[in-house]
Amino acid sequence: MTDTYDASTDVIDRIAGLTPGSAAHATRHKRAKVAAATQRSYDVLFDPALPDLPLADRLCVALYACTLSKAPALAAHYAQQLAAIGAARAVIDQIAQGATSDAAFEPPRLRAMLTFTRTLIEAPIEGDKAALERLRDAGIATPAVVVLAQLIAFLSYQIRLTAGLQALQALNETEAA
């Protein structure tokens, strides 16, 4: 993983449809260090070498969080990333449809992570000790739980940022017409 920021590979800009020179792009990049830090967070959280939580699991969680949050462009991005690493199409499709109770989620580790994701996305106040114990009971060690929680927090930020930028971009396009 590189520590430099390359604006041409910025996931948020691409997903939100921002182009250099547009008002929404200029607004986002007014604080370049924030845009760079967001991309670096993405790069770290989806680095295949990140220990404790396999990349496939992280991408499944990302796809599910985006599906639950009705963020289709981001969901498509994560589905594509899953396909690129060879994830089973049936698993990708089930997660993209919000179905997580099928036998494809055996052993229960992935199902537990997706259930925890749903909890933090839809009812974060229920992300309590009992929710954490269910992860432990599914065989997920504490370091992996920490990564999982950080990932879900980042995804919530990414989803909201992208939605806001898409709305700003649409408003700017409407005003220009």
Side-chain angles (χ1 to χ4, degrees), residues 140-174:
I140 302 168
T142 300
V145 172
V146 171
V147 172
L148 178 61
Q150 290 172 331
L151 175 62
I152 296 167
F154 172 77
L155 291 164
S156 293
Y157 163 73
Q158 184 187 48
I159 290 163
R160 281 155 186 76
L161 177 60
T162 303
L165 289 167
Q166 288 170 326
L168 182 60
Q169 182 82 348
L171 178 65
N172 291 336
E173 289 171 358
T174 300

Side-chain angles (χ1 to χ4, degrees), residues 11 38-46 77-78 154 158:
V11 172
T38 298
Q39 182 61 39
R40 278 195 299 275
S41 293
Y42 171 90
D43 293 341
V44 167
L45 288 166
F46 293 102
H77 168 76
Y78 289 115
F154 172 77
Q158 184 187 48

